[in-house]
Amino acid sequence: MIELEGVPELIDPVMICAFEGWNDAGDAASTAVGHLDREWKGEVFASLDAEDYYDFQVNRPTVALEGGVRKITWPTTRLSVVRADTGEKSRDLVLVRGIEPSMRWRSFCNEILGYAHELGVEMVVILGALLGDTPHTRPVPVSGVTSDPDLARSLDLEETRYEGPTGIVGVLQEACAHAGVPAVSLWAAVPHYVSQPPNPKATLALLNRLEDLITVRIPLGELTEDSRAWQLGVDQLAAEDSEVAEYVQSLEEARDTAELPEASGEAIAREFERYLRRRDGQPGPAGGHATESGGLEGGSGGPSAPYLRDPSTGHGRPRKPSPKDEMAKDDAEDTGGAEDEAKDVDEAKQADSAKGADDAKGADDGQGTEDRGDDGDEGSGSDR
């Protein structure tokens, strides 16, 4: 039996969960819940027993000195409640933030659902982030999925079709479905070539989508400026490495092509083949697609994380041309010169042909005049 003390009656409560670890690329999801907790000054009312769910050799406790006294903090999952009051509408949010458990996942989910039942939670929203083939220069894709067909229709969400290994996000969503609790998962795609946390741009994207889902305006604080600074910093680092810059450009082209109304699998394949040709026939980065695990199926997809690290500040600059770009430019100029030369030869041939035709015509006209002159002389002689 769960006993709640000091928790008032909640208004239209929604439970929002995020877990560090496998389902939290760039710490985007856990940072989003932490942002809600700070902005609305959440109050912790419950913590799950760490002994039941965590392997302390995997997630070790930390020790700190507080007033000269040593204090150990154990890894766990905590629940807090905040009131989202924007003046226009108020509702309460139950925030669940912790680390993906090491064991007893079903008991872990049942305990969280027990709190949801006692608090009268109307819907559970689980935030996650995965690694994907997405360029950092474009808006972060956020997909909303659910196992409830009715919820998918009413909230314009996708019904989950994923098959493969899953994390606590997938397990908790399935537990909600069995318990009859409406549940939605929001997934942000983080560029796999710059996966180091934090990723404020992905966090901002999750909060924007969450805002639409719960119909409450979320104060963003400094997240917008942090997101802009993060992108400028990645721009600068990418510009310093021609291979990374070229790869980012290929992702941009594929993304832009996919968003066209006439986009199709064949169009995307053509764009990828064009990218391979630009690399002089060398094998391009493996395609792959993002998985719920935060990884890529079918290959690495390009340069690994050490190419780019997440700076807090930086200034972008235009991409520097690589030696391959210069060679391609020279080849294009050579090809253009050859085409111009061939064109000049053709024009010269045409001029010669035209001149020959004129000469022939002139010769015929002269001969005709000469014949007419002879006839005239004969006529004059006869007159005389």
Side-chain angles (χ1 to χ4, degrees):
M1 178 68 179
I2 296 175
E3 297 182 2
L4 299 175
E5 297 181 2
V7 179
E9 185 176 352
L10 303 182
I11 303 173
D12 301 330
V14 173
M15 178 176 280
I16 302 174
C17 311
F19 304 97
E20 300 173 16
W22 204 60
N23 299 136
D24 193 23
D27 291 353
S30 58
T31 302
V33 174
H35 175 84
L36 297 175
D37 190 75
R38 287 190 305 273
E39 290 294 324
W40 280 315
K41 298 177 176 58
E43 297 181 2
V44 176
F45 65 87
S47 297
L48 276 59
D49 191 344
E51 289 280 349
D52 292 338
Y53 305 117
Y54 294 99
D55 181 349
F56 298 137
Q57 290 183 329
V58 176
N59 298 290
R60 292 184 178 274
T62 59
V63 61
L65 293 175
E66 295 184 4
V69 179
R70 289 168 58 86
K71 180 180 180 180
I72 293 180
T73 302
W74 297 92
T76 187
T77 296
R78 295 177 174 84
L79 288 81
S80 61
V81 62
V82 299
R83 174 148 295 177
D85 188 355
T86 61
E88 301 175 357
K89 181 178 181 180
S90 296
R91 79 182 310 169
D92 290 310
L93 306 179
V94 180
L95 306 179
V96 180
R97 184 186 181 191
I99 305 171
E100 184 178 60
S102 306
M103 60 193 78
R104 302 185 181 92
W105 283 17
R106 286 177 290 185
S107 298
F108 179 87
C109 293
N110 288 337
E111 188 167 351
I112 290 178
L113 286 174
Y115 282 105
H117 176 73
E118 291 295 324
L119 293 169
V121 166
E122 298 178 352
M123 181 172 63
V124 175
V125 181
I126 315 166
L127 305 183
L130 48 80
L131 300 179
D133 287 333
T134 180
H136 72 278
T137 54
R138 298 293 187 267
V140 175
V142 177
S143 58
V145 296
T146 181
S147 300
D148 187 337
D150 295 333
L151 200 61
R153 286 191 295 270
S154 62
L155 298 179
D156 192 22
L157 302 171
E158 299 177 8
E159 289 190 58
T160 179
R161 303 293 183 190
Y162 173 77
E163 295 180 339
T166 189
I168 193 60
V169 171
V171 173
L172 179 56
Q173 181 169 354
E174 189 69 12
C176 290
H178 287 304
V181 179
V184 175
S185 294
L186 298 181
W187 289 94
V190 174
H192 67 87
Y193 57 89
V194 54
S195 58
Q196 297 89 344
N199 189 319
K201 188 172 182 178
T203 297
L204 182 62
L206 280 172
L207 291 176
N208 286 333
R209 184 65 186 273
L210 178 65
E211 188 177 68
D212 296 335
L213 191 64
I214 64 176
T215 64
V216 172
R217 188 175 62 83
I218 299 174
L220 300 177
E222 298 180 355
L223 265 178
T224 302
E225 184 60 33
D226 291 344
S227 174
R228 187 178 298 111
W230 176 85
Q231 180 164 330
L232 288 174
V234 179
D235 284 343
Q236 180 180 10
L237 292 174
E240 293 173 356
D241 190 313
S242 60
E243 292 292 327
V244 175
E246 186 178 5
Y247 179 65
V248 172
Q249 183 181 4
S250 73
L251 292 179
E252 291 172 343
E253 293 174 355
R255 173 75 178 273
D256 296 342
T257 301
E259 290 179 350
L260 293 174
E262 65 274 14
S264 64
E266 293 181 359
I268 296 174
R270 285 196 300 270
E271 288 296 325
F272 188 66
E273 290 173 357
R274 186 177 300 125
Y275 164 70
L276 294 180
R277 287 196 298 271
R278 283 202 305 270
R279 295 193 54 152
D280 300 330
Q282 297 179 6
H289 60 276
T291 68
E292 189 183 31
S293 66
L296 292 173
E297 295 178 355
S300 62
S304 58
Y307 278 100
L308 296 175
R309 285 188 287 272
D310 174 43
S312 59
T313 60
H315 301 284
R317 65 171 182 263
R319 174 192 170 200
K320 297 183 294 186
S322 66
K324 290 179 181 178
D325 294 333
E326 297 295 339
M327 293 173 62
K329 181 179 179 182
D330 293 341
D331 291 341
E333 292 176 352
D334 294 341
T335 303
E339 292 176 352
D340 292 339
E341 184 177 354
K343 183 178 180 181
D344 292 341
V345 171
D346 291 338
E347 291 177 351
K349 289 181 178 179
Q350 292 175 2
D352 292 340
S353 299
K355 184 178 179 182
D358 291 341
D359 292 342
K361 181 179 180 182
D364 293 339
D365 292 342
Q367 182 65 38
T369 302
E370 182 178 357
D371 293 340
R372 286 195 300 272
D374 293 341
D375 294 339
D377 291 341
E378 290 174 356
S380 297
S382 124
D383 289 343
R384 285 193 298 267

